Amino acid sequence: MGYVKRKARIPRKKIKYKERLFLYIKYNFTCAMCNDYYEPPKNYDGRVTVSKGTGRILEIDHIIPISKGGADELFNKQVLCCMCNRRKYTKILYG
């Protein structure tokens, strides 16, 4: 039996809470795909993810995935809810 060679995972830098807060404010705590609004907690500082009572959370996603040659920089990130982020997977979607 042969071994299947797996692709090496591309290391990503952890997003800083100030960058997370900047993106949440830029997108007005709204998913970029489905436009669902997520109410931020009072005195929100970006240290945790924002969630709805349904268990769905807002996630930071790469517009052009790293695997497709996208940069791991702020200009290549957007805010998506977890459902839309799973649906998008590694596709590149344009406005």
Side-chain angles (χ1 to χ4, degrees), residues 22-38:
F22 170 80
L23 286 167
Y24 281 162
I25 290 170
K26 177 182 174 185
Y27 284 91
N28 194 26
F29 294 91
T30 304
C31 173
M33 282 180 69
C34 69
N35 292 322
D36 255 4
Y37 176 73
Y38 288 70

Side-chain angles (χ1 to χ4, degrees), residues 2-77:
Y3 288 99
V4 177
K5 199 170 193 178
R6 296 183 83 188
K7 261 184 151 175
R9 222 177 135 88
I10 300 165
R12 297 184 181 110
K13 60 184 177 187
K14 188 170 174 154
I15 189 165
K16 296 178 180 104
Y17 71 91
K18 288 181 182 180
E19 290 177 352
R20 180 184 306 277
L21 180 60
F22 170 80
L23 286 167
Y24 281 162
I25 290 170
K26 177 182 174 185
Y27 284 91
N28 194 26
F29 294 91
T30 304
C31 173
M33 282 180 69
C34 69
N35 292 322
D36 255 4
Y37 176 73
Y38 288 70
E39 184 73 38
K42 290 190 190 294
N43 302 323
Y44 183 73
D45 64 359
R47 293 183 191 268
V48 294
T49 56
V50 176
S51 66
K52 268 192 172 178
T54 59
R56 290 175 52 191
I57 61 172
L58 283 178
E59 299 175 341
I60 307 299
D61 174 60
H62 292 95
I63 297 168
I64 301 173
I66 301 288
S67 63
K68 307 270 187 200
D72 194 15
E73 298 297 329
L74 199 56
F75 66 85
N76 188 38
K77 293 180 181 171

